[in-house]
Amino acid sequence: MPTPGHVESDTPASANKPQAPASAPSTEPGGPLSSPGIAPQALPSASPSPSAPPTEPGHPAAPAPTTASDATPPPEPSVPDEGTKQRATVVRGARPARSASEVTIGRDILDTAPRTNAVDVLRVVPGLVASQHSGEGKAQQLFLRGFDALHGQDVELNVGGLPVNEVSHIHALGYADTNFIIPELVQSLEVTEGSYRAFQGDFAVAGTVRMDLGAREQGVEFAGTLGQFGQRRLVVTVRPGEDPGTFAAAELGEGEGFGPQRAYGRASLLAQAQFDLGHGLKARVLGGSYFTRFDSPGVVREDDLEAGRRTFYSGSFPRQGGTVSRHQLLFGVDLPREGTARTRLEAFGILSDLRLRNNFTGYRVDDRGDGLEQTNGGSTLGLRAEHRRQVTLFDQPVSLELGLGGRRDGIQQTQRRYRETDGTFFAEEVDAEITQTDVWGYAEARLPLGRWAFQLGGRADALGIEVFDALAFRDPRFYDGQGYSRSAFGVHWGAKAGIEYALTDTWALFASYGDGFRSPQARSLSEGEQAPFVNVRGAELGTRSEGQRLSFQASLFGSQVEDDFFFDHTVGTTVFTGETLRTGLSAALQARPLPGLTAALSATVANATVTKTDARLPYFAPLVARADLGWERPLPGLGALLSLGTGLTLIGPRPLPYDEFSRTVFLADAQAALRRGAFALRLDVKNLLNTRWRDGEFVYSSRFDPSTPPSLVPARHFTAGSPRTASLTLEVHL
């Protein structure tokens, strides 16, 4: 399934799974049928498919695009069992990599370790930490490239062409709740770290992650899971034809959680259809609905744990948790191709609602309790048009990518204080309606000259904001004069540039530059103010090597942020820091040295400081390392396929306020699966070593016992990570 702005490459790619029979023609939209009797995987991978975009002339040494077809070798024949359905992975339309740190992660890597929720999927992104410290239904806290991205303010997320980040959200800027994703449908991840490409928009500060969706197998698949702590999960997937991009899937899940106040229940539906309308015209429709109700345990004070007043997995206050719903629809059309020109039009709409209750400070602010209930209702309408073509300039071929788009968000949000004794409200803090509109355009050109290639682009985003604050200037002595309307407007101009030098056919050097931005919190703007975008200037030097069995990339990066701030969501305050600087080194490797063996390794070292004082920013992750290893072997005697895999995560100590540091985290997940015919049995074990780890660590003042005197002395708090958790899944493929 194409992601926005991606033109289908029509190149089939294996995922270390059994491929379609040789006699089955390719039916990928936009691609011609394969020659009779020739399997797609039998084609030499170094040769483009008949309908693939032509190699850019004048640049014979350019590295190949980072697509699954490039990175994944054809697998050896697997299970000699006629009852076994065949799996195939097709990654469509991945943009050619034009910076050192762009990477595509295919299904074979995603299948190496347990992936039962969005956190499991995100953890495979090089250098990314996804913390699920507030229960199963709240958006994850993200850390990438020295940025504490909170719940999405510095990482742009996109699923199947649908934007995930929510503007001016009541809980966190750029709030990106990915819990609606059904992990079995994630076919690949396209990761663009940094802000060096013109298609990257709002919140693409540390990078962009795009998820491509598709069903693994033709037919109907049932997957039922039973696990510890009352975990129950059912996933039903229907793929009516050979195209992985046409599917329908539903997920039902619930659990009691590994400790008090961690119960949850959720339901998710995702469906997509792709149509060939004839005469070169193609259409795609993607829709989905999601709902969850979840509890949240809050935090535990470290001194309460040491004194024995709390256990490691204790909850704090009983009323925390919330509900979330999301309904979405996308319609896209690929216009008939004209030579090298390809055009895509897409329209999308999203309805989302959140009600969230939490209390991180107890009774520090008010003797009635510091509990906050936040609500955020959003409606999003958007359009985008993207065009790619090749032109000739000064007798040299130039690849062009152009894009236009608009997005309108309507938001209703409230924030109220509630009593811990009975949950009733005693104070209103926010009651606002917001209309936020972003209109953008971008252009990017690439000129190859021998072993050199030069890239130049630019992007402009015009942002208009209207706010009605119902509580502004409120005076209890009067009934009139309440509320205040205001509006703001601003334009962000961003430049993009890059240079490539091809050392060999598969190895190249890159230098990249890009301006990124983060839109403001609408309620912070005054009447007539120029919308103050947070501007980011990023640069990177790196290298990458692409091969059939081994792909490697390494880069030095830096990002300068003007007028930066970090939001401490535990106490609901924003701390302005002025100019900040992030620097670091990242490396990633994908290897498939032997048939059935897959490995993905990555490590990122980063630093984040305030420019004026050289003080370290709190909470970012200085060291993140990840390893995903998978091995599968046919068992001819049983007519079965055995799969083993593990996912390893290392997170180094993170700086906390007041010169403190978090603890090092090392996690090991493992899975083992046996597939015979239409049946498969899989054992997933998360936190195999049963590490007692802290998913989130914070330093601030709190008072959990209302009978004790108030104190502003900061204390350490934490949220407990999951203990060892095992689950067993039975799959039936019809």
Side-chain angles (χ1 to χ4, degrees), residues 1-10 29-31 92-93 274-285 330-338 341-346 384-387:
M1 180 203 64
T3 51
H6 291 29
V7 178
E8 296 174 5
S9 62
D10 307 308
R92 299 182 182 82
Q274 299 188 143
F275 308 96
D276 189 342
L277 303 178
H279 306 288
L281 189 66
K282 302 165 195 171
R284 177 172 71 98
V285 180
L330 178 146
F331 179 74
V333 176
D334 286 351
L335 300 182
R337 299 184 180 185
E338 297 181 4
R342 284 160 283 180
T343 303
R344 170 165 296 154
L345 307 176
E346 290 182 332
R384 65 169 71 94
E386 297 178 340
H387 179 79

Side-chain angles (χ1 to χ4, degrees), residues 145-329:
R145 282 200 164 195
F147 286 89
D148 173 6
L150 293 173
H151 296 290
Q153 70 173 20
D154 296 315
V155 179
E156 181 186 28
L157 289 164
N158 184 287
V159 176
L162 291 162
V164 181
N165 303 78
E166 298 186 53
V167 301
S168 293
H169 195 277
I170 186 70
H171 187 72
L173 193 62
Y175 189 84
D177 184 356
T178 56
N179 290 302
F180 69 91
I181 297 169
I182 301 174
E184 288 83 352
L185 293 179
V186 179
Q187 183 150 276
S188 68
L189 300 179
E190 293 180 30
V191 182
T192 307
E193 297 194 4
S195 55
Y196 317 123
R197 300 297 300 273
F199 69 84
Q200 294 180 273
D202 197 2
F203 307 117
V205 173
T208 300
V209 178
R210 298 184 175 219
M211 299 187 187
D212 182 37
L213 302 181
R216 292 182 297 183
E217 297 187 11
Q218 184 176 349
V220 181
E221 179 178 338
F222 297 89
T225 301
L226 293 176
Q228 290 178 276
F229 311 115
Q231 180 186 358
R232 296 172 296 276
R233 185 169 180 260
L234 175 65
V235 177
V236 181
T237 305
V238 179
R239 177 178 144 188
E242 295 184 359
D243 181 9
T246 296
F247 61 83
E251 176 193 27
L252 298 175
E254 60 181 353
E256 299 169 4
F258 54 85
Q261 301 164 218
R262 290 176 171 87
Y264 68 92
R266 66 169 174 261
S268 184
L269 170 69
L270 285 171
Q272 179 174 271
Q274 299 188 143
F275 308 96
D276 189 342
L277 303 178
H279 306 288
L281 189 66
K282 302 165 195 171
R284 177 172 71 98
V285 180
L286 170 63
S289 290
Y290 163 75
F291 179 82
T292 184
R293 165 64 177 87
F294 65 98
D295 294 329
S296 178
V299 297
V300 174
R301 281 179 61 117
E302 195 75 44
D303 54 7
D304 284 344
L305 175 65
E306 295 171 354
R309 294 186 292 268
R310 298 278 181 180
T311 68
F312 189 80
Y313 297 108
S314 286
S316 54
F317 299 99
R319 302 185 186 281
Q320 299 178 92
T323 59
V324 177
S325 69
R326 178 182 171 101
H327 310 280
Q328 50 203 351
L329 181 66

